[in-house]
């Protein structure tokens, strides 16, 4: 409870630029699953959850407590839980069954919304069916669970590949990360990178997040310590100059009803407008200042 409340307080300090995931899988001591799920439901419903950006990771599909997690957390906080994260899945049909149970539980609780689903890709089976997983209804995020994925290889991938530079260079991890991002983006789903094991060195954390974003295309990243949040968010932000250009280009394009324009001696049309719109939305989501004309046109209210 102490750590969850601390994370919620940090969210209030920084603003709603990151989510908080309450962990029923690894966060609950064996035999304490019921009480832990009840705690999570109570905190999600509390006033400390100011932005409704607190989700829950339930137990894996092979664990007897996963339905209990859903019954309690979704059943008691269906109106406010931000998402449900499903770990250690091995098949798309298995995840589809769990998603259906989550949505049915929410409906029984009187919710008028669907619950977003995050799926952890951390097994051979999940990676093999990653495109099917990304295509499932209600899936919002594909998370890479690198540590479990490496452990699942029974020593074929060395422990050094759990951290940089190995995590970005080992062939099996490069393939996994590239496939996850490709599957996610092709289905309009957000790819989220694995954790950085270094808890407090901001340069290392920033470097991992920046490489995940620039080299592989991940749009989000997990943090496991408060000191990691700021460098991760900063690494995921677009460059200041690019935000300035995006704002100017999109304002000029709107003035011409989205026809082609010339900007700084270069031609821009709807193909580049799509790219620069993603730049502005990234800036907005990560708390980066947007030039006033574009902010008023596209984000006011």
């Amino acid at each position: 409870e102490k750590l969850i409340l601390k994370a919620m307080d940090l969210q209030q300090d920084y603003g709603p630029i990151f989510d908080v995931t309450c962990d029923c899988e690894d966060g609950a001591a064996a035999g304490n699953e019921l009480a832990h799920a009840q705690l999570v439901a109570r905190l999600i419903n509390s006033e400390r959850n100011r932005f409704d950006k607190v989700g829950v990771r339930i137990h894996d599909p092979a664990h007897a407590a996963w339905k209990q997690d859903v019954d309690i957390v979704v059943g008691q906080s269906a109106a406010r839980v931000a998402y449900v994260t499903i770990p250690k899945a091995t098949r798309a049909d298995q995840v589809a069954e769990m998603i259906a149970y989550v949505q049915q539980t929410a409906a029984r609780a009187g919710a008028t919304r669907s619950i977003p689903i995050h799926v952890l890709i951390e097994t051979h089976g999940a990676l093999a069916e990653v495109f099917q997983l990304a295509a499932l209804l209600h899936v919002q995020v594909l998370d890479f669970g690198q540590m479990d994925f490496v452990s699942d290889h029974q020593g074929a991938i060395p422990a050094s590949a759990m951290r940089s530079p190995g995590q970005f260079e080992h062939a099996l991890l490069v393939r996994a990360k590239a496939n996850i991002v490709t599957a996610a983006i092709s289905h309009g789903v957000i790819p989220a990178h694995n954790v950085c094991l270094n808890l407090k060195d901001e340069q290392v954390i920033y470097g991992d997040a920046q490489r995940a974003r620039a080299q592989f295309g991940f749009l989000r990243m997990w943090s496991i310590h408060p000191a990691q949040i700021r460098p991760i968010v900063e690494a995921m932000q677009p460059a200041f100059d690019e935000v300035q250009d995006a704002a100017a280009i999109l304002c000029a394009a709107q003035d011409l009803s989205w026809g082609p324009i010339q900007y700084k001696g270069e031609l821009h049309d709807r193909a580049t407008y799509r790219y620069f719109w993603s730049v502005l939305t990234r800036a907005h989501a990560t708390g980066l200042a947007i030039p006033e004309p574009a902010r008023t046109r596209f984000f006011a209210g």
Side-chain angles (χ1 to χ4, degrees):
E1 180 174 11
K2 178 182 70 174
L3 296 175
I4 295 173
L5 290 173
K6 182 177 181 180
M8 288 180 173
D9 289 343
L10 280 172
Q11 197 181 58
Q12 293 189 37
D13 291 341
Y14 289 173
I17 59 173
F18 68 95
D19 293 330
V20 174
T21 302
C22 302
D23 190 6
C24 285
E25 184 196 19
D26 294 333
N32 198 42
E33 294 85 1
L34 175 63
H36 191 80
Q38 291 171 336
L39 166 68
V40 168
R42 176 169 58 83
L43 295 180
I44 289 175
N45 287 327
S46 71
E47 292 182 357
R48 299 282 277 276
N49 180 14
R50 179 179 172 186
F51 303 110
D52 286 338
K53 288 178 71 68
V54 178
V56 60
R57 177 165 70 169
I58 62 174
H59 281 86
D60 67 86
H63 197 286
W66 80 261
K67 285 188 176 181
Q68 176 179 268
D69 291 342
V70 175
D71 291 341
I72 294 171
V73 179
V74 177
Q76 295 180 18
S77 59
R80 301 193 63 191
V81 64
Y83 51 86
V84 171
T85 298
I86 298 173
K88 296 182 178 60
T90 57
R91 304 186 318 275
D93 62 344
Q94 179 187 60
V95 174
E97 178 185 347
M98 298 177 76
I99 292 174
Y101 190 82
V102 169
Q103 306 306 338
Q104 291 163 8
T105 303
R108 285 195 299 269
T112 57
R113 59 186 281 258
S114 299
I115 308 299
I117 302 296
H118 298 190
V119 182
L120 267 160
I121 309 301
E122 49 190 343
T123 67
H124 296 291
L127 183 62
E129 299 192 8
V130 67
F131 282 86
Q132 295 97 308
L133 288 166
L136 290 174
L137 192 62
H138 308 301
V139 171
Q140 181 187 63
V141 174
L142 293 184
D143 300 303
F144 186 36
Q146 180 172 269
M147 289 189 289
D148 276 295
F149 186 77
V150 169
S151 297
D152 214 25
H153 277 75
Q154 303 176 43
I157 302 176
S160 61
M162 290 188 183
R163 59 185 61 84
S164 296
Q167 67 162 321
F168 295 113
E169 297 174 355
H170 194 285
L172 292 176
L173 296 179
V174 169
R175 177 191 64 126
K177 293 183 182 189
N179 285 354
I180 289 168
V181 172
T182 302
I185 296 297
S186 67
H187 289 284
V189 171
I190 300 164
H193 193 257
N194 51 272
V195 302
C196 173
L197 295 184
N198 190 304
L199 297 182
K200 298 182 180 181
D201 189 324
E202 292 193 2
Q203 186 174 359
V204 172
I205 299 161
Y206 180 91
D208 279 3
Q210 199 278 332
R211 194 168 181 182
R213 176 69 185 88
Q215 182 179 345
F216 288 93
F218 282 95
L219 301 179
R220 301 188 73 181
M221 180 169 164
W222 280 80
S223 61
I224 50 174
H225 190 278
Q228 294 184 332
I229 295 171
R230 182 60 64 185
I232 289 173
V233 171
E234 290 178 353
M236 293 291 169
Q237 289 175 333
F240 176 80
D241 290 346
E242 193 171 38
V243 174
Q244 302 296 306
D245 287 341
I249 288 168
L250 292 176
C251 287
Q254 189 183 53
D255 289 342
L256 289 178
S257 300
W258 305 105
I261 66 166
Q262 183 181 140
Y263 178 77
K264 293 184 177 179
E266 295 180 343
L267 172 69
H268 292 280
D269 59 18
R270 295 188 185 193
T272 56
Y273 300 159
R274 293 171 61 198
Y275 171 79
F276 286 112
W277 176 246
S278 71
V279 171
L280 282 193
T281 56
R282 279 176 57 208
H284 179 68
T286 55
L288 198 62
I290 295 173
E292 186 58 29
R295 191 198 67 79
T296 301
R297 292 185 190 215
F298 305 125
F299 298 102

